[in-house]
Amino acid sequence: MAAFIEHTRDALELGQDQVVTITRDGVEVTGFDGSPAEGTRYHVDWDLSAAEKDGHDWFMRKEIFEQPSSVAAALLGRHTEDGRLQLDEMRIEDSELREIDRIIVVGCGTAAYAGQVAKYAIEHWTRIPVEVELAHEFRYRDPILTRKTLVVAISQSGETADTLMAIRHARAQQSKVLAICNTNGATIPRESDAVIYTHAGPEIGVASTKGFLTQMVACYLLGLYLAQVRRAMFGDEIASVVRDLEQLPAQVTRVLDNAGQVYDLAEDLLGSKAVLFLGRHAGYPVAMEGALKLKELAYMHAEGFAAGELKHGPIALIEPGLPVFCVVPPRGRDQLHGKMISAIQEIRARGARTIVLAEEGDPAAGDYADTLIELPKVPTLMQPLVAVLPLQLFACELATKMGHDVDQPRNLAKSVTVE
Ligand code: M6R
């Protein structure tokens, strides 16, 4: 869409195997055999400035700083005045949603990590078992799919071939498919039973940023909606989580205001050979997302681990000076905070350079941090949306300092339309 909105906002969505003939006099849509067909007309509401860099050096950096408004847009109009959630394009009947006994989330790359974060929230709120699977692995293991399985396909572009093939397989087995997508009228939402659009606006940088945050928001809305329909939570509990979500744009802004600290860190760590990322619980997918950003933009060896896994092997990688980003869960979450702090002590004792992301006022975190990046105090399930921001900024800045093309990293495409 970014390619044509300079010229028109009126678009025509074509179905599978349709041909369009454009002449001076008009537009004709037919099937392959010439039989008349009809496309669906729609209006694109992205404005042109959304497809320009607005003074930033990269689209990616612009998109990182747009995240407060992207998150706000993803939340807009999702509840009625009396606080009930409403999802416009939820075309699956409530009665069917009540029957769902399993959710499988499919996606690739960053979208799959958004799904992994969502698993913690959706299971917690609905008590429906959630599996998360890389879309390209999904159909080849002959997954068990029934009419009671809800497959959630997350895709920013809506055109990722691996994810598309996964949903085709799921629908052939009679499962319902719900798409979480940023691109109006893309193939994946078109071929799904329902869609939640993320409304992030065009994401042009190859590295997904606002796509990730808004995918998490959409997944959370889905989880809360399911909880509402199935009466798994009380209305006031749902309203309280929605209020937490509505605080996020301001909290995201606060983290982005501190970008300078992350840029200095990138300067310091220029020349590092590898970087590790550790997290626990919902911070674990954040660690993997941080590593993915660095791989794709800085072409560096980077790995994300669940901190509990360290002692089962990865701790052997720790050597003096190795930078390790550690995402510390908020205090009060089971024993996880304390366990994460012990992991940081372990790696620091072996010479790692610890970059600790922890909520402000966390006294333990500062004691073992070579660099402490403070995050706003947010509920545990909201932390991924603020903790990932310094990791995005770090990858963008380091790659820039290394002289790489941040928006179009080597060997990558924005939308991977082949399997
Ligand atoms: O358009 P999609 O969300 O389906 O794309 C999925 C992945 O290809 C994408 O998230 C990729 O991993 C990004 N380049 C990560 O920054």
mmCIF file of all heavy atoms in Angstrom, residues 105-118 132-137 153-157 160-163 203 206-209 211-213 215-216 284-293 295-296 388 412-416:
data_model
loop_
_atom_site.group_PDB
_atom_site.id
_atom_site.type_symbol
_atom_site.label_atom_id
_atom_site.label_comp_id
_atom_site.label_asym_id
_atom_site.label_seq_id
_atom_site.Cartn_x
_atom_site.Cartn_y
_atom_site.Cartn_z
ATOM 1 N N VAL A 105 -1.127 -20.986 18.100
ATOM 2 C CA VAL A 105 -0.703 -19.732 17.471
ATOM 3 C C VAL A 105 0.400 -20.068 16.478
ATOM 4 O O VAL A 105 1.357 -20.777 16.828
ATOM 5 C CB VAL A 105 -0.153 -18.736 18.521
ATOM 6 C CG1 VAL A 105 0.235 -17.424 17.860
ATOM 7 C CG2 VAL A 105 -1.164 -18.497 19.629
ATOM 8 N N VAL A 106 0.256 -19.590 15.248
ATOM 9 C CA VAL A 106 1.312 -19.814 14.254
ATOM 10 C C VAL A 106 1.823 -18.467 13.736
ATOM 11 O O VAL A 106 1.072 -17.495 13.652
ATOM 12 C CB VAL A 106 0.829 -20.689 13.064
ATOM 13 C CG1 VAL A 106 0.543 -22.114 13.508
ATOM 14 C CG2 VAL A 106 -0.394 -20.085 12.377
ATOM 15 N N GLY A 107 3.081 -18.438 13.404
ATOM 16 C CA GLY A 107 3.701 -17.221 12.873
ATOM 17 C C GLY A 107 5.179 -17.512 12.660
ATOM 18 O O GLY A 107 5.665 -18.610 12.975
ATOM 19 N N CYS A 108 5.893 -16.548 12.131
ATOM 20 C CA CYS A 108 7.321 -16.718 11.884
ATOM 21 C C CYS A 108 8.071 -15.529 12.478
ATOM 22 O O CYS A 108 7.531 -14.418 12.535
ATOM 23 C CB CYS A 108 7.623 -16.743 10.385
ATOM 24 S SG CYS A 108 6.704 -18.007 9.519
ATOM 25 N N GLY A 109 9.311 -15.760 12.844
ATOM 26 C CA GLY A 109 10.181 -14.681 13.310
ATOM 27 C C GLY A 109 9.552 -13.913 14.456
ATOM 28 O O GLY A 109 9.037 -14.490 15.424
ATOM 29 N N THR A 110 9.549 -12.599 14.322
ATOM 30 C CA THR A 110 9.018 -11.727 15.381
ATOM 31 C C THR A 110 7.557 -12.043 15.702
ATOM 32 O O THR A 110 7.147 -12.005 16.865
ATOM 33 C CB THR A 110 9.185 -10.264 14.922
ATOM 34 O OG1 THR A 110 10.585 -9.983 14.890
ATOM 35 C CG2 THR A 110 8.490 -9.284 15.843
ATOM 36 N N ALA A 111 6.775 -12.359 14.676
ATOM 37 C CA ALA A 111 5.355 -12.660 14.906
ATOM 38 C C ALA A 111 5.218 -13.880 15.818
ATOM 39 O O ALA A 111 4.334 -13.929 16.686
ATOM 40 C CB ALA A 111 4.656 -12.899 13.571
ATOM 41 N N ALA A 112 6.104 -14.860 15.642
ATOM 42 C CA ALA A 112 6.050 -16.051 16.502
ATOM 43 C C ALA A 112 6.419 -15.676 17.940
ATOM 44 O O ALA A 112 5.858 -16.217 18.899
ATOM 45 C CB ALA A 112 6.981 -17.128 15.964
ATOM 46 N N TYR A 113 7.365 -14.746 18.088
ATOM 47 C CA TYR A 113 7.719 -14.322 19.457
ATOM 48 C C TYR A 113 6.551 -13.579 20.119
ATOM 49 O O TYR A 113 6.321 -13.724 21.317
ATOM 50 C CB TYR A 113 8.972 -13.445 19.455
ATOM 51 C CG TYR A 113 10.212 -14.193 19.009
ATOM 52 C CD1 TYR A 113 11.200 -13.564 18.260
ATOM 53 C CD2 TYR A 113 10.396 -15.533 19.322
ATOM 54 C CE1 TYR A 113 12.330 -14.258 17.833
ATOM 55 C CE2 TYR A 113 11.517 -16.232 18.903
ATOM 56 C CZ TYR A 113 12.479 -15.584 18.155
ATOM 57 O OH TYR A 113 13.590 -16.267 17.734
ATOM 58 N N ALA A 114 5.817 -12.799 19.327
ATOM 59 C CA ALA A 114 4.630 -12.140 19.888
ATOM 60 C C ALA A 114 3.662 -13.214 20.385
ATOM 61 O O ALA A 114 3.056 -13.096 21.454
ATOM 62 C CB ALA A 114 3.956 -11.258 18.838
ATOM 63 N N GLY A 115 3.540 -14.291 19.613
ATOM 64 C CA GLY A 115 2.675 -15.397 20.010
ATOM 65 C C GLY A 115 3.159 -16.048 21.300
ATOM 66 O O GLY A 115 2.361 -16.421 22.161
ATOM 67 N N GLN A 116 4.468 -16.154 21.438
ATOM 68 C CA GLN A 116 4.996 -16.777 22.662
ATOM 69 C C GLN A 116 4.699 -15.927 23.888
ATOM 70 O O GLN A 116 4.429 -16.448 24.966
ATOM 71 C CB GLN A 116 6.498 -17.018 22.526
ATOM 72 C CG GLN A 116 6.784 -18.135 21.538
ATOM 73 C CD GLN A 116 8.214 -18.634 21.637
ATOM 74 O OE1 GLN A 116 8.900 -18.407 22.610
ATOM 75 N NE2 GLN A 116 8.664 -19.304 20.595
ATOM 76 N N VAL A 117 4.791 -14.613 23.730
ATOM 77 C CA VAL A 117 4.419 -13.733 24.853
ATOM 78 C C VAL A 117 2.928 -13.930 25.160
ATOM 79 O O VAL A 117 2.520 -14.093 26.313
ATOM 80 C CB VAL A 117 4.693 -12.248 24.512
ATOM 81 C CG1 VAL A 117 4.109 -11.333 25.583
ATOM 82 C CG2 VAL A 117 6.192 -11.988 24.352
ATOM 83 N N ALA A 118 2.124 -13.962 24.081
ATOM 84 C CA ALA A 118 0.669 -14.034 24.251
ATOM 85 C C ALA A 118 0.241 -15.304 24.972
ATOM 86 O O ALA A 118 -0.746 -15.307 25.712
ATOM 87 C CB ALA A 118 -0.009 -13.965 22.885
ATOM 88 N N VAL A 132 2.327 -22.607 20.730
ATOM 89 C CA VAL A 132 2.831 -21.638 19.741
ATOM 90 C C VAL A 132 3.771 -22.402 18.824
ATOM 91 O O VAL A 132 4.642 -23.134 19.295
ATOM 92 C CB VAL A 132 3.597 -20.483 20.423
ATOM 93 C CG1 VAL A 132 4.002 -19.442 19.389
ATOM 94 C CG2 VAL A 132 2.750 -19.866 21.515
ATOM 95 N N GLU A 133 3.563 -22.260 17.547
ATOM 96 C CA GLU A 133 4.378 -23.056 16.625
ATOM 97 C C GLU A 133 4.854 -22.199 15.454
ATOM 98 O O GLU A 133 4.106 -21.363 14.942
ATOM 99 C CB GLU A 133 3.510 -24.205 16.104
ATOM 100 C CG GLU A 133 4.260 -25.094 15.185
ATOM 101 C CD GLU A 133 4.033 -26.563 15.486
ATOM 102 O OE1 GLU A 133 3.152 -26.882 16.304
ATOM 103 O OE2 GLU A 133 4.736 -27.376 14.881
ATOM 104 N N LEU A 134 6.086 -22.442 15.040
ATOM 105 C CA LEU A 134 6.574 -21.762 13.840
ATOM 106 C C LEU A 134 5.725 -22.256 12.667
ATOM 107 O O LEU A 134 5.538 -23.468 12.492
ATOM 108 C CB LEU A 134 8.047 -22.091 13.613
ATOM 109 C CG LEU A 134 8.986 -21.478 14.661
ATOM 110 C CD1 LEU A 134 10.390 -22.058 14.541
ATOM 111 C CD2 LEU A 134 9.022 -19.952 14.526
ATOM 112 N N ALA A 135 5.220 -21.328 11.886
ATOM 113 C CA ALA A 135 4.249 -21.689 10.849
ATOM 114 C C ALA A 135 4.827 -22.703 9.863
ATOM 115 O O ALA A 135 4.119 -23.583 9.376
ATOM 116 C CB ALA A 135 3.801 -20.423 10.119
ATOM 117 N N HIS A 136 6.118 -22.600 9.577
ATOM 118 C CA HIS A 136 6.709 -23.491 8.568
ATOM 119 C C HIS A 136 6.912 -24.906 9.082
ATOM 120 O O HIS A 136 7.165 -25.825 8.310
ATOM 121 C CB HIS A 136 8.036 -22.914 8.053
ATOM 122 C CG HIS A 136 8.848 -22.228 9.100
ATOM 123 N ND1 HIS A 136 9.738 -22.898 9.894
ATOM 124 C CD2 HIS A 136 8.847 -20.937 9.518
ATOM 125 C CE1 HIS A 136 10.271 -22.030 10.747
ATOM 126 N NE2 HIS A 136 9.749 -20.835 10.544
ATOM 127 N N GLU A 137 6.824 -25.115 10.382
ATOM 128 C CA GLU A 137 6.943 -26.456 10.945
ATOM 129 C C GLU A 137 5.571 -27.103 11.125
ATOM 130 O O GLU A 137 5.443 -28.322 11.226
ATOM 131 C CB GLU A 137 7.623 -26.385 12.325
ATOM 132 C CG GLU A 137 9.100 -26.047 12.263
ATOM 133 C CD GLU A 137 9.890 -27.177 11.630
ATOM 134 O OE1 GLU A 137 9.656 -28.340 11.963
ATOM 135 O OE2 GLU A 137 10.735 -26.875 10.761
ATOM 136 N N ALA A 153 -3.304 -16.925 13.548
ATOM 137 C CA ALA A 153 -2.166 -16.686 12.648
ATOM 138 C C ALA A 153 -1.722 -15.236 12.806
ATOM 139 O O ALA A 153 -2.509 -14.322 12.542
ATOM 140 C CB ALA A 153 -2.588 -16.932 11.211
ATOM 141 N N ILE A 154 -0.486 -15.046 13.245
ATOM 142 C CA ILE A 154 0.008 -13.672 13.417
ATOM 143 C C ILE A 154 0.924 -13.341 12.245
ATOM 144 O O ILE A 154 1.882 -14.073 11.966
ATOM 145 C CB ILE A 154 0.784 -13.512 14.740
ATOM 146 C CG1 ILE A 154 -0.047 -14.036 15.926
ATOM 147 C CG2 ILE A 154 1.186 -12.058 14.963
ATOM 148 C CD1 ILE A 154 0.648 -13.890 17.271
ATOM 149 N N SER A 155 0.622 -12.237 11.571
ATOM 150 C CA SER A 155 1.479 -11.817 10.458
ATOM 151 C C SER A 155 1.304 -10.319 10.221
ATOM 152 O O SER A 155 0.195 -9.864 9.950
ATOM 153 C CB SER A 155 1.102 -12.586 9.188
ATOM 154 O OG SER A 155 1.839 -12.091 8.091
ATOM 155 N N GLN A 156 2.391 -9.599 10.329
ATOM 156 C CA GLN A 156 2.330 -8.159 10.074
ATOM 157 C C GLN A 156 1.897 -7.907 8.637
ATOM 158 O O GLN A 156 0.973 -7.151 8.385
ATOM 159 C CB GLN A 156 3.715 -7.531 10.350
ATOM 160 C CG GLN A 156 3.802 -6.018 10.312
ATOM 161 C CD GLN A 156 3.780 -5.431 8.910
ATOM 162 O OE1 GLN A 156 3.034 -4.488 8.632
ATOM 163 N NE2 GLN A 156 4.539 -5.986 8.005
ATOM 164 N N SER A 157 2.577 -8.563 7.699
ATOM 165 C CA SER A 157 2.297 -8.307 6.275
ATOM 166 C C SER A 157 1.019 -8.987 5.813
ATOM 167 O O SER A 157 0.362 -8.514 4.891
ATOM 168 C CB SER A 157 3.454 -8.844 5.424
ATOM 169 O OG SER A 157 3.566 -10.256 5.603
ATOM 170 N N THR A 160 2.906 -13.698 4.420
ATOM 171 C CA THR A 160 3.981 -14.672 4.637
ATOM 172 C C THR A 160 3.510 -16.066 4.208
ATOM 173 O O THR A 160 2.539 -16.596 4.750
ATOM 174 C CB THR A 160 4.391 -14.649 6.123
ATOM 175 O OG1 THR A 160 4.888 -13.344 6.401
ATOM 176 C CG2 THR A 160 5.448 -15.674 6.441
ATOM 177 N N ALA A 161 4.220 -16.642 3.229
ATOM 178 C CA ALA A 161 3.754 -17.903 2.635
ATOM 179 C C ALA A 161 3.684 -19.020 3.671
ATOM 180 O O ALA A 161 2.740 -19.817 3.667
ATOM 181 C CB ALA A 161 4.681 -18.292 1.488
ATOM 182 N N ASP A 162 4.663 -19.093 4.556
ATOM 183 C CA ASP A 162 4.665 -20.178 5.554
ATOM 184 C C ASP A 162 3.403 -20.113 6.420
ATOM 185 O O ASP A 162 2.797 -21.141 6.734
ATOM 186 C CB ASP A 162 5.901 -20.058 6.460
ATOM 187 C CG ASP A 162 7.190 -20.361 5.712
ATOM 188 O OD1 ASP A 162 7.211 -21.311 4.920
ATOM 189 O OD2 ASP A 162 8.187 -19.632 5.944
ATOM 190 N N THR A 163 3.019 -18.910 6.792
ATOM 191 C CA THR A 163 1.852 -18.743 7.669
ATOM 192 C C THR A 163 0.571 -19.009 6.884
ATOM 193 O O THR A 163 -0.372 -19.628 7.381
ATOM 194 C CB THR A 163 1.868 -17.318 8.271
ATOM 195 O OG1 THR A 163 3.168 -17.090 8.809
ATOM 196 C CG2 THR A 163 0.836 -17.161 9.376
ATOM 197 N N GLU A 203 4.492 -0.586 8.133
ATOM 198 C CA GLU A 203 5.825 -0.884 8.702
ATOM 199 C C GLU A 203 6.737 -1.161 7.517
ATOM 200 O O GLU A 203 6.572 -2.160 6.814
ATOM 201 C CB GLU A 203 5.742 -2.086 9.642
ATOM 202 C CG GLU A 203 7.038 -2.306 10.409
ATOM 203 C CD GLU A 203 6.960 -3.499 11.341
ATOM 204 O OE1 GLU A 203 6.863 -4.638 10.847
ATOM 205 O OE2 GLU A 203 7.002 -3.305 12.564
ATOM 206 N N VAL A 206 12.586 -3.467 7.397
ATOM 207 C CA VAL A 206 12.476 -4.936 7.361
ATOM 208 C C VAL A 206 12.352 -5.506 8.776
ATOM 209 O O VAL A 206 11.630 -6.473 9.019
ATOM 210 C CB VAL A 206 13.685 -5.538 6.596
ATOM 211 C CG1 VAL A 206 13.832 -7.025 6.886
ATOM 212 C CG2 VAL A 206 13.496 -5.319 5.098
ATOM 213 N N ALA A 207 13.051 -4.890 9.719
ATOM 214 C CA ALA A 207 12.980 -5.384 11.099
ATOM 215 C C ALA A 207 11.671 -4.929 11.733
ATOM 216 O O ALA A 207 11.362 -3.738 11.776
ATOM 217 C CB ALA A 207 14.162 -4.853 11.887
ATOM 218 N N SER A 208 10.923 -5.865 12.226
ATOM 219 C CA SER A 208 9.608 -5.533 12.794
ATOM 220 C C SER A 208 9.765 -4.908 14.187
ATOM 221 O O SER A 208 10.490 -5.426 15.030
ATOM 222 C CB SER A 208 8.780 -6.816 12.877
ATOM 223 O OG SER A 208 7.468 -6.512 13.240
ATOM 224 N N THR A 209 9.084 -3.802 14.408
ATOM 225 C CA THR A 209 9.144 -3.125 15.715
ATOM 226 C C THR A 209 7.724 -2.827 16.204
ATOM 227 O O THR A 209 7.210 -3.497 17.080
ATOM 228 C CB THR A 209 9.959 -1.817 15.615
ATOM 229 O OG1 THR A 209 9.434 -1.028 14.528
ATOM 230 C CG2 THR A 209 11.433 -2.099 15.403
ATOM 231 N N GLY A 211 5.177 -3.475 14.651
ATOM 232 C CA GLY A 211 4.398 -4.678 14.351
ATOM 233 C C GLY A 211 4.347 -5.571 15.581
ATOM 234 O O GLY A 211 3.284 -6.059 15.976
ATOM 235 N N PHE A 212 5.506 -5.768 16.208
ATOM 236 C CA PHE A 212 5.606 -6.659 17.379
ATOM 237 C C PHE A 212 4.734 -6.157 18.538
ATOM 238 O O PHE A 212 3.945 -6.901 19.116
ATOM 239 C CB PHE A 212 7.075 -6.727 17.795
ATOM 240 C CG PHE A 212 7.372 -7.640 18.966
ATOM 241 C CD1 PHE A 212 7.079 -8.995 18.913
ATOM 242 C CD2 PHE A 212 7.976 -7.141 20.111
ATOM 243 C CE1 PHE A 212 7.368 -9.843 19.987
ATOM 244 C CE2 PHE A 212 8.278 -7.971 21.184
ATOM 245 C CZ PHE A 212 7.976 -9.330 21.124
ATOM 246 N N LEU A 213 4.881 -4.880 18.866
ATOM 247 C CA LEU A 213 4.110 -4.357 20.004
ATOM 248 C C LEU A 213 2.605 -4.466 19.768
ATOM 249 O O LEU A 213 1.848 -4.886 20.648
ATOM 250 C CB LEU A 213 4.477 -2.884 20.290
ATOM 251 C CG LEU A 213 5.377 -2.722 21.527
ATOM 252 C CD1 LEU A 213 6.768 -3.212 21.219
ATOM 253 C CD2 LEU A 213 5.408 -1.311 22.037
ATOM 254 N N GLN A 215 1.076 -6.483 17.743
ATOM 255 C CA GLN A 215 0.635 -7.888 17.710
ATOM 256 C C GLN A 215 0.374 -8.372 19.136
ATOM 257 O O GLN A 215 -0.597 -9.081 19.407
ATOM 258 C CB GLN A 215 1.707 -8.771 17.052
ATOM 259 C CG GLN A 215 1.731 -8.640 15.540
ATOM 260 C CD GLN A 215 3.020 -9.124 14.912
ATOM 261 O OE1 GLN A 215 3.971 -9.520 15.592
ATOM 262 N NE2 GLN A 215 3.074 -9.098 13.593
ATOM 263 N N MET A 216 1.259 -7.980 20.056
ATOM 264 C CA MET A 216 1.041 -8.391 21.450
ATOM 265 C C MET A 216 -0.265 -7.787 21.973
ATOM 266 O O MET A 216 -1.052 -8.465 22.639
ATOM 267 C CB MET A 216 2.228 -7.984 22.325
ATOM 268 C CG MET A 216 3.470 -8.821 22.041
ATOM 269 S SD MET A 216 4.807 -8.532 23.202
ATOM 270 C CE MET A 216 5.487 -7.004 22.634
ATOM 271 N N TYR A 284 11.225 -14.162 28.316
ATOM 272 C CA TYR A 284 12.021 -15.107 27.507
ATOM 273 C C TYR A 284 11.855 -14.824 26.001
ATOM 274 O O TYR A 284 12.853 -14.630 25.281
ATOM 275 C CB TYR A 284 11.649 -16.533 27.949
ATOM 276 C CG TYR A 284 12.115 -17.646 27.063
ATOM 277 C CD1 TYR A 284 13.355 -17.612 26.413
ATOM 278 C CD2 TYR A 284 11.326 -18.784 26.879
ATOM 279 C CE1 TYR A 284 13.768 -18.658 25.600
ATOM 280 C CE2 TYR A 284 11.739 -19.830 26.076
ATOM 281 C CZ TYR A 284 12.938 -19.754 25.429
ATOM 282 O OH TYR A 284 13.332 -20.789 24.627
ATOM 283 N N PRO A 285 10.606 -14.745 25.484
ATOM 284 C CA PRO A 285 10.488 -14.366 24.067
ATOM 285 C C PRO A 285 11.078 -12.987 23.770
ATOM 286 O O PRO A 285 11.568 -12.755 22.657
ATOM 287 C CB PRO A 285 8.978 -14.361 23.802
ATOM 288 C CG PRO A 285 8.336 -15.049 24.947
ATOM 289 C CD PRO A 285 9.291 -15.088 26.089
ATOM 290 N N VAL A 286 11.060 -12.101 24.753
ATOM 291 C CA VAL A 286 11.666 -10.768 24.540
ATOM 292 C C VAL A 286 13.170 -10.930 24.303
ATOM 293 O O VAL A 286 13.765 -10.275 23.434
ATOM 294 C CB VAL A 286 11.397 -9.844 25.752
ATOM 295 C CG1 VAL A 286 12.185 -8.543 25.641
ATOM 296 C CG2 VAL A 286 9.903 -9.557 25.885
ATOM 297 N N ALA A 287 13.789 -11.833 25.066
ATOM 298 C CA ALA A 287 15.228 -12.083 24.885
ATOM 299 C C ALA A 287 15.486 -12.595 23.468
ATOM 300 O O ALA A 287 16.430 -12.161 22.789
ATOM 301 C CB ALA A 287 15.712 -13.100 25.925
ATOM 302 N N MET A 288 14.627 -13.495 23.004
ATOM 303 C CA MET A 288 14.836 -14.034 21.651
ATOM 304 C C MET A 288 14.602 -12.962 20.587
ATOM 305 O O MET A 288 15.296 -12.919 19.570
ATOM 306 C CB MET A 288 13.940 -15.245 21.444
ATOM 307 C CG MET A 288 14.395 -16.402 22.327
ATOM 308 S SD MET A 288 13.619 -17.949 21.918
ATOM 309 C CE MET A 288 11.984 -17.649 22.535
ATOM 310 N N GLU A 289 13.659 -12.084 20.847
ATOM 311 C CA GLU A 289 13.391 -11.000 19.907
ATOM 312 C C GLU A 289 14.596 -10.029 19.863
ATOM 313 O O GLU A 289 14.981 -9.569 18.789
ATOM 314 C CB GLU A 289 12.094 -10.273 20.308
ATOM 315 C CG GLU A 289 11.785 -8.966 19.577
ATOM 316 C CD GLU A 289 11.539 -9.121 18.082
ATOM 317 O OE1 GLU A 289 11.555 -10.244 17.566
ATOM 318 O OE2 GLU A 289 11.364 -8.082 17.419
ATOM 319 N N GLY A 290 15.174 -9.763 21.022
ATOM 320 C CA GLY A 290 16.356 -8.886 21.067
ATOM 321 C C GLY A 290 17.491 -9.483 20.245
ATOM 322 O O GLY A 290 18.196 -8.785 19.508
ATOM 323 N N ALA A 291 17.662 -10.797 20.358
ATOM 324 C CA ALA A 291 18.734 -11.469 19.612
ATOM 325 C C ALA A 291 18.443 -11.447 18.114
ATOM 326 O O ALA A 291 19.340 -11.207 17.296
ATOM 327 C CB ALA A 291 18.881 -12.904 20.107
ATOM 328 N N LEU A 292 17.177 -11.660 17.757
ATOM 329 C CA LEU A 292 16.815 -11.653 16.331
ATOM 330 C C LEU A 292 17.100 -10.280 15.712
ATOM 331 O O LEU A 292 17.653 -10.173 14.610
ATOM 332 C CB LEU A 292 15.333 -12.026 16.155
ATOM 333 C CG LEU A 292 14.797 -11.963 14.719
ATOM 334 C CD1 LEU A 292 15.526 -12.949 13.801
ATOM 335 C CD2 LEU A 292 13.302 -12.248 14.674
ATOM 336 N N LYS A 293 16.770 -9.214 16.432
ATOM 337 C CA LYS A 293 16.995 -7.860 15.909
ATOM 338 C C LYS A 293 18.478 -7.665 15.616
ATOM 339 O O LYS A 293 18.853 -7.095 14.598
ATOM 340 C CB LYS A 293 16.540 -6.777 16.915
ATOM 341 C CG LYS A 293 15.055 -6.670 17.142
ATOM 342 C CD LYS A 293 14.291 -5.946 16.038
ATOM 343 C CE LYS A 293 13.733 -6.862 15.003
ATOM 344 N NZ LYS A 293 12.416 -7.437 15.206
ATOM 345 N N LYS A 295 20.812 -10.007 15.083
ATOM 346 C CA LYS A 295 21.264 -10.863 13.970
ATOM 347 C C LYS A 295 20.922 -10.189 12.650
ATOM 348 O O LYS A 295 21.753 -10.080 11.762
ATOM 349 C CB LYS A 295 20.530 -12.216 13.991
ATOM 350 C CG LYS A 295 21.007 -13.172 15.037
ATOM 351 C CD LYS A 295 20.136 -14.438 14.987
ATOM 352 C CE LYS A 295 20.139 -15.095 16.339
ATOM 353 N NZ LYS A 295 19.135 -16.096 16.553
ATOM 354 N N GLU A 296 19.658 -9.777 12.521
ATOM 355 C CA GLU A 296 19.234 -9.308 11.196
ATOM 356 C C GLU A 296 19.805 -7.940 10.839
ATOM 357 O O GLU A 296 20.033 -7.655 9.679
ATOM 358 C CB GLU A 296 17.721 -9.375 10.998
ATOM 359 C CG GLU A 296 16.876 -8.542 11.882
ATOM 360 C CD GLU A 296 15.367 -8.723 11.587
ATOM 361 O OE1 GLU A 296 14.974 -9.181 10.510
ATOM 362 O OE2 GLU A 296 14.570 -8.372 12.473
ATOM 363 N N VAL A 388 11.197 -4.657 25.442
ATOM 364 C CA VAL A 388 11.783 -4.879 24.122
ATOM 365 C C VAL A 388 12.325 -3.579 23.506
ATOM 366 O O VAL A 388 13.184 -3.598 22.624
ATOM 367 C CB VAL A 388 10.753 -5.553 23.174
ATOM 368 C CG1 VAL A 388 9.693 -4.572 22.698
ATOM 369 C CG2 VAL A 388 11.448 -6.204 21.996
ATOM 370 N N LEU A 412 17.560 -10.247 3.309
ATOM 371 C CA LEU A 412 16.211 -10.312 3.882
ATOM 372 C C LEU A 412 15.202 -9.559 3.024
ATOM 373 O O LEU A 412 15.542 -8.605 2.339
ATOM 374 C CB LEU A 412 16.210 -9.703 5.296
ATOM 375 C CG LEU A 412 16.983 -10.484 6.357
ATOM 376 C CD1 LEU A 412 17.042 -9.686 7.645
ATOM 377 C CD2 LEU A 412 16.319 -11.835 6.605
ATOM 378 N N ALA A 413 13.954 -9.991 3.120
ATOM 379 C CA ALA A 413 12.852 -9.277 2.470
ATOM 380 C C ALA A 413 11.824 -8.935 3.533
ATOM 381 O O ALA A 413 11.717 -9.638 4.533
ATOM 382 C CB ALA A 413 12.210 -10.168 1.413
ATOM 383 N N LYS A 414 11.077 -7.869 3.312
ATOM 384 C CA LYS A 414 10.062 -7.473 4.293
ATOM 385 C C LYS A 414 8.985 -8.532 4.401
ATOM 386 O O LYS A 414 8.495 -8.824 5.491
ATOM 387 C CB LYS A 414 9.462 -6.120 3.892
ATOM 388 C CG LYS A 414 8.400 -5.592 4.860
ATOM 389 C CD LYS A 414 8.995 -5.323 6.244
ATOM 390 C CE LYS A 414 7.962 -4.912 7.269
ATOM 391 N NZ LYS A 414 8.457 -5.133 8.648
ATOM 392 N N SER A 415 8.608 -9.054 3.269
ATOM 393 C CA SER A 415 7.536 -10.036 3.304
ATOM 394 C C SER A 415 8.033 -11.277 2.570
ATOM 395 O O SER A 415 8.450 -11.194 1.414
ATOM 396 C CB SER A 415 6.326 -9.401 2.615
ATOM 397 O OG SER A 415 5.325 -10.335 2.475
ATOM 398 N N VAL A 416 8.004 -12.415 3.255
ATOM 399 C CA VAL A 416 8.605 -13.619 2.684
ATOM 400 C C VAL A 416 7.485 -14.436 2.032
ATOM 401 O O VAL A 416 6.763 -15.179 2.696
ATOM 402 C CB VAL A 416 9.348 -14.442 3.763
ATOM 403 C CG1 VAL A 416 10.058 -15.634 3.141
ATOM 404 C CG2 VAL A 416 10.344 -13.551 4.500
#
